[in-house]
Amino acid sequence: MSAGLPKRILKEAERLQVDAPEGIQAIPSEEDIRYFDVSIQGPDGSPFEKGIFKLELWLPSSYPMEPPKVRFLTKIYHPNIDKLGRICLDILKDKWSPALQIRTVLLSIQALLSSPNPDDPLANDVAEHYKTDEQAAKAVSKEWTALYAESL
Amino acid sequence: MSEDSDNYDMDAASFEGSDIVEDYQSSNPSEAFSDEDVDIDDNDAFNPSEALKPKKSKFDVDYKIYGIDDIINNQQSETDQVCNIFGLQPQDAIILLRHFGWNKEKLIERYSEDPDRILKQVGLAPGTSAAAQSDSRASPSRLKRVKGFTCEICFSGSEDASIQTLALSCGHRFCSDCWKMHCEEKINGQGESRKIECMQSDCQLTCATKTVMSEQIIGQIVSEDVFRRYQNLANKTYVEDNRRGLRFCPGPDCENVIECQVRGSDLESYIPIVLCKCGQVSCFGCSFNGDHRPALCGVTNLWVKKCEDDSETANWISANTKECPRCHSTIEKNGGCNHMTCRKCRHEWCWICMGEWSAHGTNYYNCNRYEEKSGKDARDGQQKSRVSLERYLHYYNRYANHEQSARLDRELYTKTERKMDEMQKSTSLTWIEVQFVKKAVETVTKCRMTLKWTYAMAYYLERNSMTELFEDNQADLEKAVENLSELLEKPLDVETIPDLRSQMQNATNYVKSRQIILLEDTLQGHLEGRWTYHAAIPSIA
């Protein structure tokens, strides 16, 4: 890729500002347009409801041939997100396609908050908790949301 | 033995001891690795097992060596076969074969049952496969300039048809620059060669899986360098996928592929040592760089790991520490005083005699209480706990010693070689007449390797009468090797040469025959289940 920014990244950044998906905000950093400050609102009806979760998203140099790197900055009790905020999501790994976009990635992450998948866990202890006692596990998720992700 | 044992014959030309001494050059199997065989010319070398057959012994295995061109040709001919059977295009046949890990029989069986389903499964849309494409109305997978096209990946577009675009049979059209980058990322970035799929994220809606790019299209799109890498990766995948027993030679910069049928449960008795045209001796079973006979692959694996983990540590522990007589914690003395106080159990004891310190009074720096009972008991306890360590070091030191000796033997030989050159010039001796030293050194080196591995094997053997027989064979070979090694150190003089030569040739032949006896007996023992190991020997995948 040339030194100038690819049209794709500029377009995507622009569209994310003008026409942001509901409950999702992605603002490119002033120093580096490949770096985005992201916040995702916890989906209604999930234990993450009303929470505002901060994430960072970074586009590697071979993007969009390579998937973006995304990480939760806000602590979250979720079977597919570990202590460091890393996310277990197929489209961020082998199921990535260059036709996917930042927008689709963030929407998928939002959907992951609505439907955790404890059968494909990243945080084993959380997944175990979700599998053995879903009610109690959801209560913890809710508690963490209130503690760390409550909107002002 | 696996069911495909009829493909190879490991019992060919069984060894007869009497032949060895009289005519070892034609009948001695351990000659298999001498340099005559390394330098076989190309026609012969293509099938060295053929050339080796007359001197094969029970423990030698059949194998073939292929160059990278042979590997490419093999893929070609297998692809052609599939094409002929089903009337497919080569580029589709190769996708099918790769999907089935080059298991042609399985592919033929499955494809015959339901061709459409299989085509979908591997990412070839039925009816739009290359065969159909060439005559179809749209021929969508061609490169094409489209008016008013905008690429959904890079967002570049133009009103006029200035952008080259490409769609696979699924019809998802993107600009060819994006396709190129996609292929390059897959090939260079991820080392992918099995299948490179359509870039569309929901392409599987059209097909059971994403549409797969054909080799032909990849070749059209990427640069020559990248395509060459793609082909190398594809060859590598072919070798790795292949169930008929292919493996790359582990030699540095060697691209040859070795085919051998000694695999799986065969490795519980046989040790498939192979010699590549590049000169690299390796084990086909476990890819070990060298000849680890008579130790099985599993034993070698265990031993190498143990040595990597333990040897230095064990040596250091043995040399520098003692164990607390009460709680057996390992303790390093870090000061001059012999009054030890165990950090763990607070036991106070004397470093020298291992007895209780309370009995020492104030004799801080010398211990004259050797016969004291408490000290003796502690020393006995210490001894017991050190036995396993000592046992390991016993075998390890002998193992390591043979390796070192082999190196020294070779160093000695380089000196001797110079001397022999001089002798050829200054005396009437011919080149052929001074070759006996070379032969002797080669034999010593090989047999030291064998001896080295007998110690690894012996370490894991249960103590019983069978093991004693093994150790007798080991001792006989060791004695023979040491004798020959000693002869090698004798000074070379013109007067003594004829005498030395006959001595050395006899000793060399004897060493070789001892090696064959040991290797054959070990193999026989494995086949008969004579050896019992006290550790679980891992099977090699």
Side-chain angles (χ1 to χ4, degrees):
Chain A
M1 212 38 89
S2 61
L5 270 166
K7 196 168 176 181
R8 153 111 183 211
I9 295 179
L10 292 170
K11 269 263 171 72
E12 273 202 73
E14 188 190 306
R15 237 185 260 175
L16 280 165
Q17 308 310 303
V18 179
D19 176 24
E22 206 190 315
I24 291 175
Q25 203 181 41
I27 302 160
S29 137
E30 273 173 24
E31 301 99 69
D32 181 3
I33 197 185
R34 288 177 176 274
Y35 184 93
F36 291 76
D37 284 309
V38 179
S39 45
I40 295 181
Q41 206 177 313
D44 288 350
S46 77
F48 310 102
E49 196 177 358
K50 293 206 172 69
I52 302 283
F53 294 88
K54 297 253 176 248
L55 294 90
E56 58 178 359
L57 182 146
W58 184 72
L59 305 173
S61 62
S62 51
Y63 178 83
M65 300 305 148
E66 219 187 297
K69 311 250 181 277
V70 200
R71 187 170 82 95
F72 269 84
L73 296 173
T74 308
K75 259 173 92 85
I76 182 166
Y77 196 75
H78 188 289
N80 309 103
I81 299 160
D82 75 359
K83 268 189 212 144
L84 300 174
R86 294 177 299 194
I87 307 160
C88 177
L89 187 62
D90 56 357
I91 60 160
L92 289 176
K93 299 191 176 77
D94 54 320
K95 289 286 179 331
W96 170 253
S97 144
L100 293 168
Q101 300 184 5
I102 300 172
R103 167 188 299 266
T104 39
V105 166
L106 296 180
L107 283 167
S108 299
I109 292 172
Q110 198 180 34
L112 188 67
L113 295 184
S114 294
S115 43
N117 178 12
D119 291 321
D120 183 19
L122 188 60
N124 279 317
D125 47 339
V126 182
E128 200 50 44
H129 198 188
Y130 258 83
K131 275 172 112 169
T132 50
D133 187 352
E134 200 182 330
Q135 282 315 310
K138 277 187 168 167
V140 177
S141 294
K142 215 168 173 173
E143 205 177 292
W144 281 35
T145 306
L147 260 171
Y148 305 110
E150 202 62 83
S151 55
L152 295 171
Chain B
M1 190 84 51
S2 67
E3 75 257 41
D4 48 16
S5 60
D6 51 347
N7 292 343
Y8 57 97
D9 178 13
M10 285 181 295
D11 293 321
S14 71
F15 160 72
E16 284 166 41
S18 58
D19 286 353
I20 289 295
V21 183
E22 290 159 27
D23 189 12
Y24 68 92
Q25 271 176 328
S26 65
S27 66
N28 191 336
S30 64
E31 285 283 305
F33 293 153
S34 65
D35 49 355
E36 291 99 287
D37 297 306
V38 180
D39 298 324
I40 329 169
D41 69 43
D42 271 335
N43 295 334
D44 273 345
F46 189 69
N47 193 353
S49 55
E50 213 61 358
L52 296 181
K53 242 170 200 158
K55 29 183 173 173
K56 258 172 68 68
S57 179
K58 275 184 188 170
F59 49 79
D60 284 319
V61 297
D62 276 337
Y63 59 93
K64 279 186 191 171
I65 297 165
Y66 296 108
I68 201 73
D69 290 340
D70 304 319
I71 292 303
I72 294 167
N73 291 339
N74 282 356
Q75 291 176 70
Q76 187 65 51
S77 71
E78 291 193 47
T79 311
D80 288 347
Q81 279 180 38
V82 172
C83 287
N84 290 338
I85 298 173
F86 298 120
L88 288 161
Q89 289 290 311
Q91 45 179 318
D92 292 343
I94 208 160
I95 289 172
L96 283 163
L97 277 163
R98 281 187 190 145
H99 179 86
F100 282 93
W102 293 92
N103 188 339
K104 207 167 51 201
E105 291 68 35
K106 195 171 151 199
L107 162 64
I108 291 170
E109 192 191 310
R110 293 284 175 79
Y111 190 85
S112 309
E113 281 168 12
D114 189 350
D116 280 5
R117 199 175 62 89
I118 296 302
L119 285 173
K120 274 187 193 165
Q121 204 179 32
V122 304
L124 289 167
T128 53
S129 67
Q133 265 170 45
S134 54
D135 55 73
S136 84
R137 334 99 257 185
S139 85
S141 96
R142 292 281 158 73
L143 289 157
K144 199 157 77 175
R145 293 179 192 275
V146 186
K147 264 192 179 172
F149 174 83
T150 303
C151 175
E152 274 178 56
I153 285 170
C154 61
F155 294 154
S156 48
S158 69
E159 285 310 306
D160 57 348
S162 64
I163 296 172
Q164 184 68 275
T165 71
L166 171 79
L168 304 180
S169 53
C170 51
H172 298 124
R173 189 165 287 281
F174 302 100
C175 78
S176 36
D177 281 350
C178 282
W179 280 111
K180 183 174 182 233
M181 283 196 291
H182 174 62
C183 291
E184 287 177 353
E185 168 63 24
K186 288 282 171 190
I187 296 163
N188 285 342
Q190 297 166 26
E192 178 63 65
S193 70
R194 222 171 285 255
K195 56 179 181 183
I196 299 178
E197 297 170 317
C198 173
M199 291 193 285
Q200 184 67 27
S201 61
D202 53 0
C203 180
Q204 54 266 52
L205 296 180
T206 327
C207 231
T209 167
K210 289 190 180 190
T211 314
V212 175
M213 294 181 81
S214 74
E215 200 163 312
Q216 191 196 6
I217 292 178
I218 295 169
Q220 280 173 17
I221 290 233
V222 300
S223 66
E224 240 174 83
D225 278 4
V226 177
F227 193 60
R228 209 171 303 128
R229 175 157 161 83
Y230 171 77
Q231 287 175 314
N232 286 343
L233 285 166
N235 292 337
K236 201 172 148 230
T237 313
Y238 171 75
V239 171
E240 281 161 5
D241 277 355
N242 209 294
R243 283 144 218 262
R244 280 149 306 177
L246 294 182
R247 188 161 245 182
F248 278 104
C249 167
D253 294 328
C254 179
E255 280 193 328
N256 291 337
V257 174
I258 296 162
E259 177 181 354
C260 178
Q261 299 302 331
V262 183
R263 289 174 287 147
S265 59
D266 297 342
L267 299 175
E268 284 159 29
S269 308
Y270 288 93
I271 302 148
I273 298 303
V274 295
L275 167 71
C276 181
K277 274 187 272 178
C278 73
Q280 175 74 47
V281 175
S282 65
C283 173
F284 187 83
C286 61
S287 287
F288 184 81
N289 276 14
D291 182 351
H292 64 66
R293 290 179 297 194
L296 292 176
C297 293
V299 171
T300 305
N301 205 304
L302 269 186
W303 177 256
V304 168
K305 242 182 238 149
K306 180 161 181 67
C307 293
E308 276 171 4
D309 296 349
D310 291 356
S311 293
E312 288 313 306
T313 317
N315 272 320
W316 190 90
I317 289 174
S318 171
N320 296 294
T321 71
K322 288 186 179 180
E323 274 146 38
C324 166
R326 190 193 280 167
C327 73
H328 298 289
S329 304
T330 306
I331 291 169
E332 177 195 4
K333 191 157 106 88
N334 64 353
C337 173
N338 289 326
H339 180 176
M340 308 303 292
T341 306
C342 176
R343 279 276 166 79
K344 226 176 189 172
C345 67
R346 316 302 308 172
H347 179 61
E348 291 181 44
W349 51 286
C350 166
W351 180 259
I352 302 294
C353 73
M354 311 275 308
E356 281 194 35
W357 187 260
S358 55
H360 277 64
T362 50
N363 296 341
Y364 267 64
Y365 291 104
N366 67 68
C367 171
N368 53 2
R369 302 182 45 80
Y370 188 77
E371 294 307 321
E372 207 49 52
K373 196 184 174 300
S374 76
K376 193 172 178 295
D377 288 349
R379 282 194 300 276
D380 286 352
Q382 172 104 28
Q383 221 155 30
K384 218 174 270 173
S385 74
R386 288 286 155 116
V387 161
S388 75
L389 191 63
E390 293 293 332
R391 185 173 176 276
Y392 166 66
L393 287 174
H394 167 92
Y395 290 102
Y396 179 76
N397 288 334
R398 279 154 187 78
Y399 166 90
N401 179 52
H402 277 298
E403 184 157 271
Q404 197 197 13
S405 300
R407 207 183 56 238
L408 294 173
D409 286 336
R410 279 195 296 272
E411 276 171 22
L412 179 68
Y413 174 66
T414 45
K415 277 181 223 148
T416 319
E417 201 175 26
R418 236 174 290 135
K419 195 158 182 199
M420 287 190 306
D421 282 344
E422 283 163 25
M423 273 164 49
Q424 277 179 65
K425 283 174 201 143
S426 58
T427 67
S428 59
L429 287 168
T430 61
W431 177 82
I432 201 81
E433 283 173 304
V434 290
Q435 286 310 296
F436 65 94
V437 186
K438 191 175 176 210
K439 281 253 187 293
V441 171
E442 278 168 9
T443 308
V444 165
T445 312
K446 274 177 217 155
C447 292
R448 283 205 189 277
M449 287 305 118
T450 306
L451 280 169
K452 189 177 115 173
W453 289 103
T454 58
Y455 284 105
M457 177 166 167
Y459 176 77
Y460 291 106
L461 282 177
E462 202 89 70
R463 291 244 47 104
N464 57 31
S465 52
M466 290 304 153
T467 301
E468 274 169 35
L469 287 176
F470 176 78
E471 284 172 343
D472 288 346
N473 276 330
Q474 181 189 42
D476 284 342
L477 177 59
E478 195 156 54
K479 217 162 92 193
V481 165
E482 294 305 338
N483 269 338
L484 182 54
S485 184
E486 205 178 319
L487 282 177
L488 281 170
E489 291 190 11
K490 282 203 172 169
L492 280 175
D493 291 312
V494 187
E495 304 82 59
T496 58
I497 273 210
D499 196 29
L500 189 62
R501 180 167 64 205
S502 76
Q503 270 187 44
M504 222 185 259
Q505 276 174 347
N506 284 339
T508 305
N509 291 342
Y510 180 65
V511 167
K512 282 177 178 172
S513 70
R514 290 309 326 174
Q515 185 200 26
I516 289 164
I517 289 167
L518 186 140
L519 290 179
E520 288 198 336
D521 184 64
T522 328
L523 170 64
Q524 203 54 42
H526 277 125
L527 291 172
E528 291 166 8
R530 248 193 280 140
W531 315 123
T532 21
Y533 292 99
H534 58 67
I537 305 301
S539 58
I540 303 295

